[in-house]
Amino acid sequence: QTVVAQEPSLTVSPGGTVTLTCASTTGAVTSNHYPNWFQQKPGQAPTALIYRTTYKHSWTPARFSGSLLGDKAALTLSGAQPEDEAEYYCLLYFGGPGVFGGGTKLTVL
Amino acid sequence: QVQLVESGGGVVQPGRSLRLSCAASGFTFRTYAMHWVRQAPGKGLEWLAVIWFDGSKSYYADSVKGQFTISRDNLKNTLYLQMNSLRADDTAVYYCAREESGWLFDYWGQGTLVTVSS
């Protein structure tokens, strides 16, 4: 059973930079996993942030960026704002099915 | 504007069936793959199933394979999830989401809550 792992929680200071990662038990995450990143705030549906590793949607704030970092997918937030406090999920493609990571609760404090 | 509206959730007894719907508007539904995702109370997101734009292929998470069936009606611009033999651990908010080609997720519905309880 494929497991996608994320940091359970991270804290960043306002204006600071933080990187969230997304790893797979099957091996290195590559662009062929088409990593997507989503933000979810309490009581709301998820919002798409990043697709195909690095691409932003038209509504994605510029302070968010996606990349591959070693053998993981990564989401970097540069210049954190209070409104960025949320749960963040990655989603990887496995040749048909997809698997979400367990999510990272990001605190801006 | 793109809209996805789920319906069909509610309280259902264990062992019973339920069919969820996701009504799509604001885009050409028949050209997009569609997904179902769920979230149990206080838990993370769980990918469930995808169906290709023309309904020719579908894939499922191992956890629901043989229990859930994804389908679509491109004339009615509607996505479905047939859920059988429901168990307490199927209790969750169920979301539909749109995929542009190449695993590009963009729009999500607001979700519908399914509670499996006697």
Side-chain angles (χ1 to χ4, degrees), chain A residues 33-89:
Chain A
H33 289 98
Y34 301 102
N36 280 257
W37 290 91
F38 304 92
Q39 178 191 67
Q40 188 180 34
K41 296 182 179 180
Q44 297 183 16
T47 300
L49 287 176
I50 300 288
Y51 62 96
R52 295 180 195 154
T53 310
T54 63
Y55 293 91
K56 300 177 190 181
H57 293 280
S58 59
W59 54 80
T60 303
R63 59 185 180 272
F64 289 95
S65 62
S67 65
L68 293 178
L69 206 59
D71 58 358
K72 301 177 183 180
L75 176 71
T76 298
L77 172 58
S78 304
Q81 301 297 310
E83 61 265 30
D84 299 328
E85 185 161 296
E87 194 86 22
Y88 291 84
Y89 295 92

Coordinates of all heavy atoms in Angstrom, one line a residue, chain A residues 33-89:
Chain A
H33 N 4.9 12.0 -11.2 CA 3.8 11.9 -10.2 C 2.9 13.1 -10.2 O 1.9 13.1 -9.5 CB 4.4 11.8 -8.8 CG 5.1 10.5 -8.5 ND1 6.5 10.3 -8.6 CD2 4.6 9.3 -8.2 CE1 6.8 9.1 -8.3 NE2 5.7 8.4 -8.0
Y34 N 3.2 14.0 -11.1 CA 2.4 15.3 -11.3 C 1.9 15.8 -9.9 O 0.7 16.0 -9.7 CB 1.1 14.9 -12.1 CG 1.5 14.4 -13.5 CD1 1.4 13.1 -13.8 CD2 1.9 15.3 -14.5 CE1 1.7 12.6 -15.1 CE2 2.2 14.8 -15.8 CZ 2.1 13.5 -16.0 OH 2.4 13.0 -17.3
P35 N 2.8 16.2 -9.1 CA 2.4 16.6 -7.7 C 1.5 17.8 -7.8 O 1.7 18.8 -8.5 CB 3.7 17.0 -7.1 CG 4.8 16.2 -7.8 CD 4.3 16.1 -9.2
N36 N 0.4 17.7 -7.0 CA -0.5 18.8 -6.8 C -0.4 19.2 -5.3 O -0.3 18.3 -4.5 CB -1.9 18.4 -7.1 CG -2.3 18.5 -8.6 OD1 -2.9 19.4 -9.1 ND2 -1.8 17.5 -9.3
W37 N -0.7 20.5 -5.0 CA -0.7 21.0 -3.7 C -2.1 21.7 -3.5 O -2.5 22.5 -4.3 CB 0.4 21.9 -3.3 CG 1.7 21.2 -3.2 CD1 2.6 21.0 -4.2 CD2 2.3 20.6 -2.1 NE1 3.7 20.3 -3.8 CE2 3.6 20.1 -2.4 CE3 1.9 20.5 -0.7 CZ2 4.4 19.5 -1.5 CZ3 2.7 19.9 0.2 CH2 4.0 19.4 -0.2
F38 N -2.7 21.5 -2.3 CA -3.9 22.1 -1.9 C -3.9 22.7 -0.6 O -3.2 22.2 0.3 CB -5.1 21.0 -2.0 CG -5.2 20.3 -3.3 CD1 -4.5 19.1 -3.4 CD2 -5.9 20.8 -4.3 CE1 -4.6 18.4 -4.6 CE2 -6.0 20.1 -5.5 CZ -5.4 18.9 -5.7
Q39 N -4.6 23.8 -0.4 CA -4.8 24.4 0.9 C -6.2 24.2 1.4 O -7.1 24.3 0.6 CB -4.5 25.9 0.7 CG -4.7 26.7 2.0 CD -4.6 28.2 1.7 OE1 -5.5 28.8 1.1 NE2 -3.6 28.9 2.2
Q40 N -6.3 23.9 2.6 CA -7.7 23.8 3.2 C -7.8 24.5 4.6 O -7.0 24.2 5.5 CB -8.1 22.3 3.4 CG -9.5 22.1 3.8 CD -9.9 20.7 4.0 OE1 -9.2 19.8 4.4 NE2 -11.2 20.4 3.6
K41 N -8.7 25.4 4.7 CA -9.0 26.1 5.9 C -10.2 25.4 6.6 O -11.0 24.8 5.9 CB -9.2 27.6 5.7 CG -7.9 28.2 5.1 CD -8.1 29.7 4.9 CE -6.8 30.3 4.3 NZ -6.9 31.7 4.1
P42 N -10.3 25.6 7.9 CA -11.3 24.9 8.6 C -12.7 25.2 8.1 O -13.1 26.3 7.8 CB -11.2 25.4 10.1 CG -9.7 25.8 10.2 CD -9.3 26.3 8.8
G43 N -13.5 24.1 7.9 CA -14.8 24.2 7.4 C -15.0 24.6 6.0 O -16.1 24.8 5.5
Q44 N -13.9 24.6 5.2 CA -14.0 24.9 3.8 C -13.5 23.7 2.9 O -12.8 22.8 3.4 CB -13.1 26.1 3.5 CG -13.5 27.4 4.2 CD -12.7 28.6 3.8 OE1 -11.9 28.5 2.8 NE2 -12.8 29.6 4.6
A45 N -13.9 23.7 1.7 CA -13.4 22.8 0.7 C -11.9 23.1 0.4 O -11.5 24.3 0.6 CB -14.2 22.8 -0.6
P46 N -11.1 22.1 0.0 CA -9.8 22.4 -0.4 C -9.7 23.4 -1.6 O -10.6 23.5 -2.4 CB -9.2 21.1 -0.8 CG -10.1 20.1 -0.2 CD -11.5 20.7 -0.1
T47 N -8.6 24.1 -1.7 CA -8.4 25.0 -2.8 C -7.1 24.6 -3.5 O -6.0 24.4 -2.8 CB -8.2 26.5 -2.3 OG1 -9.4 26.9 -1.7 CG2 -7.9 27.4 -3.5
A48 N -7.1 24.5 -4.8 CA -5.8 24.1 -5.5 C -4.8 25.2 -5.5 O -5.2 26.4 -5.8 CB -6.2 23.7 -6.9
L49 N -3.6 24.9 -5.3 CA -2.5 25.9 -5.3 C -1.5 25.6 -6.4 O -1.1 26.6 -7.1 CB -1.7 25.8 -3.9 CG -2.4 26.4 -2.7 CD1 -1.4 26.1 -1.5 CD2 -2.7 27.8 -2.8
I50 N -1.0 24.4 -6.5 CA 0.1 24.1 -7.4 C -0.3 22.8 -8.2 O -0.9 21.9 -7.6 CB 1.4 23.8 -6.7 CG1 1.8 25.0 -5.9 CG2 2.5 23.3 -7.6 CD1 2.3 26.2 -6.7
Y51 N 0.0 22.7 -9.5 CA -0.2 21.5 -10.2 C 1.1 21.2 -11.0 O 1.9 22.1 -11.3 CB -1.4 21.6 -11.1 CG -1.3 22.7 -12.2 CD1 -0.9 22.4 -13.5 CD2 -1.7 24.0 -11.9 CE1 -0.8 23.3 -14.5 CE2 -1.6 25.0 -12.9 CZ -1.2 24.6 -14.1 OH -1.1 25.6 -15.1
R52 N 1.2 19.9 -11.4 CA 2.4 19.5 -12.2 C 3.7 20.0 -11.6 O 4.5 20.6 -12.3 CB 2.2 19.8 -13.6 CG 1.0 19.1 -14.3 CD 0.9 19.5 -15.7 NE -0.4 19.1 -16.3 CZ -1.0 19.7 -17.3 NH1 -0.4 20.8 -17.9 NH2 -2.2 19.3 -17.7
T53 N 3.9 19.8 -10.3 CA 5.1 20.1 -9.6 C 5.3 21.6 -9.3 O 5.5 22.0 -8.2 CB 6.3 19.6 -10.3 OG1 6.2 18.2 -10.6 CG2 7.6 19.7 -9.4
T54 N 5.2 22.4 -10.4 CA 5.7 23.8 -10.2 C 4.7 24.9 -10.7 O 4.9 26.1 -10.4 CB 7.0 24.1 -11.0 OG1 6.7 23.8 -12.4 CG2 8.1 23.1 -10.6
Y55 N 3.6 24.5 -11.3 CA 2.7 25.4 -12.0 C 1.7 26.0 -11.0 O 1.1 25.2 -10.2 CB 2.0 24.8 -13.2 CG 3.0 24.5 -14.3 CD1 3.6 23.2 -14.4 CD2 3.3 25.4 -15.2 CE1 4.5 22.9 -15.4 CE2 4.2 25.1 -16.3 CZ 4.8 23.9 -16.3 OH 5.7 23.6 -17.3
K56 N 1.4 27.3 -11.1 CA 0.5 27.9 -10.2 C -0.8 28.2 -11.0 O -0.8 28.5 -12.2 CB 1.0 29.3 -9.7 CG 2.3 29.2 -8.9 CD 2.8 30.6 -8.5 CE 4.2 30.4 -7.9 NZ 4.8 31.7 -7.5
H57 N -1.9 28.2 -10.2 CA -3.2 28.6 -10.8 C -3.2 30.1 -10.8 O -2.4 30.8 -10.2 CB -4.3 28.0 -10.0 CG -4.5 26.5 -10.1 ND1 -5.0 25.9 -11.1 CD2 -4.0 25.5 -9.2 CE1 -5.0 24.6 -10.9 NE2 -4.4 24.3 -9.8
S58 N -4.2 30.6 -11.6 CA -4.3 32.1 -11.7 C -4.6 32.7 -10.3 O -4.2 33.9 -10.1 CB -5.4 32.4 -12.7 OG -6.6 31.9 -12.3
W59 N -5.1 32.0 -9.4 CA -5.5 32.5 -8.1 C -4.5 32.3 -7.0 O -4.6 32.7 -5.9 CB -6.8 32.0 -7.7 CG -6.9 30.5 -7.7 CD1 -6.4 29.6 -6.7 CD2 -7.4 29.6 -8.7 NE1 -6.6 28.3 -7.1 CE2 -7.2 28.3 -8.3 CE3 -8.1 29.9 -9.9 CZ2 -7.7 27.2 -9.1 CZ3 -8.5 28.8 -10.7 CH2 -8.3 27.5 -10.3
T60 N -3.4 31.6 -7.4 CA -2.4 31.2 -6.4 C -1.5 32.4 -6.1 O -0.9 33.0 -7.0 CB -1.5 30.1 -6.9 OG1 -2.3 28.9 -7.2 CG2 -0.5 29.7 -5.8
P61 N -1.4 32.8 -4.8 CA -0.6 33.9 -4.4 C 0.9 33.6 -4.9 O 1.4 32.5 -4.8 CB -0.7 34.0 -2.9 CG -2.0 33.4 -2.6 CD -2.2 32.3 -3.6
A62 N 1.6 34.7 -5.3 CA 2.9 34.5 -5.8 C 3.9 34.0 -4.7 O 5.0 33.5 -5.1 CB 3.4 35.9 -6.3
R63 N 3.6 34.1 -3.5 CA 4.5 33.7 -2.4 C 4.5 32.2 -2.3 O 5.4 31.7 -1.5 CB 4.1 34.3 -1.1 CG 2.7 34.0 -0.6 CD 2.3 34.8 0.7 NE 1.0 34.5 1.2 CZ -0.1 35.2 0.8 NH1 0.1 36.2 -0.1 NH2 -1.3 34.9 1.3
F64 N 3.7 31.5 -3.0 CA 3.7 30.0 -3.0 C 4.5 29.5 -4.2 O 4.3 30.1 -5.3 CB 2.3 29.4 -3.0 CG 1.5 29.6 -1.7 CD1 0.7 30.6 -1.5 CD2 1.7 28.6 -0.7 CE1 0.0 30.8 -0.4 CE2 1.0 28.8 0.5 CZ 0.1 29.9 0.7
S65 N 5.3 28.5 -4.0 CA 6.0 27.9 -5.2 C 6.2 26.4 -4.9 O 6.3 26.0 -3.8 CB 7.3 28.6 -5.4 OG 8.2 28.4 -4.3
G66 N 6.2 25.7 -6.0 CA 6.4 24.2 -6.0 C 7.7 23.8 -6.6 O 8.1 24.5 -7.6
S67 N 8.2 22.7 -6.2 CA 9.5 22.2 -6.7 C 9.6 20.7 -6.4 O 8.8 20.1 -5.7 CB 10.6 23.0 -6.2 OG 10.8 22.8 -4.8
L68 N 10.7 20.2 -6.9 CA 11.2 18.9 -6.4 C 12.5 19.2 -5.6 O 13.3 19.9 -6.0 CB 11.5 17.9 -7.5 CG 10.4 17.4 -8.4 CD1 10.8 16.6 -9.5 CD2 9.4 16.7 -7.5
L69 N 12.5 18.6 -4.4 CA 13.6 18.8 -3.5 C 14.2 17.4 -3.1 O 13.6 16.7 -2.3 CB 13.1 19.5 -2.3 CG 14.0 20.4 -1.5 CD1 14.6 21.5 -2.3 CD2 13.3 21.0 -0.3
G70 N 15.3 17.1 -3.7 CA 15.8 15.7 -3.5 C 14.8 14.7 -4.1 O 14.5 14.8 -5.3
D71 N 14.4 13.8 -3.2 CA 13.5 12.8 -3.7 C 12.0 13.1 -3.3 O 11.2 12.2 -3.2 CB 13.9 11.4 -3.2 CG 14.0 11.3 -1.7 OD1 13.8 12.4 -1.0 OD2 14.3 10.3 -1.2
K72 N 11.7 14.3 -3.0 CA 10.4 14.7 -2.6 C 9.8 15.9 -3.4 O 10.6 16.6 -4.0 CB 10.4 15.2 -1.1 CG 11.0 14.1 -0.1 CD 11.0 14.7 1.3 CE 11.6 13.7 2.3 NZ 11.7 14.3 3.6
A73 N 8.5 16.0 -3.4 CA 7.9 17.2 -3.9 C 7.9 18.2 -2.7 O 7.9 17.8 -1.5 CB 6.5 17.0 -4.4
A74 N 8.0 19.5 -3.1 CA 8.0 20.5 -2.0 C 7.1 21.7 -2.4 O 7.0 22.1 -3.5 CB 9.5 21.0 -1.8
L75 N 6.6 22.3 -1.3 CA 5.8 23.5 -1.4 C 6.5 24.6 -0.5 O 6.7 24.3 0.7 CB 4.4 23.3 -1.0 CG 3.5 24.6 -1.0 CD1 3.2 25.0 -2.4 CD2 2.2 24.3 -0.2
T76 N 7.0 25.7 -1.1 CA 7.6 26.7 -0.4 C 6.8 27.9 -0.3 O 6.2 28.4 -1.3 CB 9.0 27.0 -1.0 OG1 9.8 25.9 -1.0 CG2 9.7 28.2 -0.2
L77 N 6.6 28.4 0.9 CA 5.9 29.7 1.2 C 6.9 30.7 1.6 O 7.6 30.5 2.7 CB 4.9 29.4 2.3 CG 4.1 30.6 2.9 CD1 3.4 31.4 1.8 CD2 3.2 30.2 4.0
S78 N 7.1 31.8 0.9 CA 8.0 32.8 1.2 C 7.3 34.1 1.5 O 6.6 34.6 0.7 CB 8.9 33.1 -0.1 OG 9.6 31.9 -0.5
G79 N 7.5 34.6 2.7 CA 6.8 35.8 3.2 C 5.4 35.4 3.7 O 4.4 35.8 3.2
A80 N 5.4 34.5 4.7 CA 4.1 34.0 5.2 C 3.2 35.1 5.7 O 3.7 36.0 6.4 CB 4.4 32.9 6.3
Q81 N 1.9 34.9 5.5 CA 0.9 35.8 6.0 C 0.0 35.1 7.0 O -0.2 33.9 6.9 CB 0.1 36.4 4.8 CG 0.9 37.1 3.7 CD 1.5 38.4 4.3 OE1 0.9 39.2 4.9 NE2 2.8 38.5 4.1
P82 N -0.6 35.8 7.8 CA -1.5 35.2 8.8 C -2.6 34.3 8.1 O -3.0 33.3 8.6 CB -2.2 36.4 9.6 CG -1.2 37.4 9.5 CD -0.5 37.3 8.1
E83 N -3.1 34.8 7.0 CA -4.1 34.0 6.3 C -3.6 32.7 5.6 O -4.4 31.9 5.1 CB -4.8 34.9 5.2 CG -3.8 35.4 4.1 CD -3.3 36.8 4.4 OE1 -3.2 37.1 5.5 OE2 -3.0 37.5 3.4
D84 N -2.3 32.5 5.7 CA -1.8 31.2 5.2 C -1.8 30.1 6.2 O -1.5 28.9 5.9 CB -0.3 31.4 4.8 CG -0.2 32.4 3.7 OD1 -1.1 32.6 2.8 OD2 0.9 33.1 3.6
E85 N -2.3 30.4 7.4 CA -2.5 29.4 8.4 C -3.6 28.4 7.9 O -4.7 28.9 7.7 CB -2.8 30.0 9.8 CG -2.8 28.9 10.9 CD -2.7 29.5 12.2 OE1 -1.6 30.1 12.5 OE2 -3.7 29.5 13.0
A86 N -3.2 27.2 7.7 CA -4.2 26.2 7.1 C -3.5 24.8 7.1 O -2.4 24.6 7.5 CB -4.5 26.6 5.7
E87 N -4.3 23.9 6.6 CA -3.8 22.5 6.4 C -3.4 22.5 4.9 O -4.1 23.0 4.0 CB -4.9 21.5 6.7 CG -4.4 20.1 6.8 CD -3.9 19.7 8.1 OE1 -4.2 20.3 9.1 OE2 -3.1 18.7 8.2
Y88 N -2.3 21.8 4.6 CA -1.8 21.7 3.2 C -1.7 20.2 2.9 O -1.1 19.4 3.7 CB -0.5 22.4 3.0 CG -0.6 23.9 3.2 CD1 -0.6 24.5 4.4 CD2 -0.8 24.7 2.0 CE1 -0.8 25.9 4.5 CE2 -1.0 26.1 2.1 CZ -1.0 26.7 3.4 OH -1.2 28.0 3.4
Y89 N -2.2 19.9 1.7 CA -2.1 18.5 1.3 C -1.4 18.4 -0.1 O -1.7 19.2 -1.0 CB -3.5 17.9 1.1 CG -4.3 17.8 2.4 CD1 -5.1 18.8 2.8 CD2 -4.2 16.6 3.2 CE1 -5.9 18.7 4.0 CE2 -4.9 16.5 4.4 CZ -5.7 17.5 4.8 OH -6.5 17.4 5.9

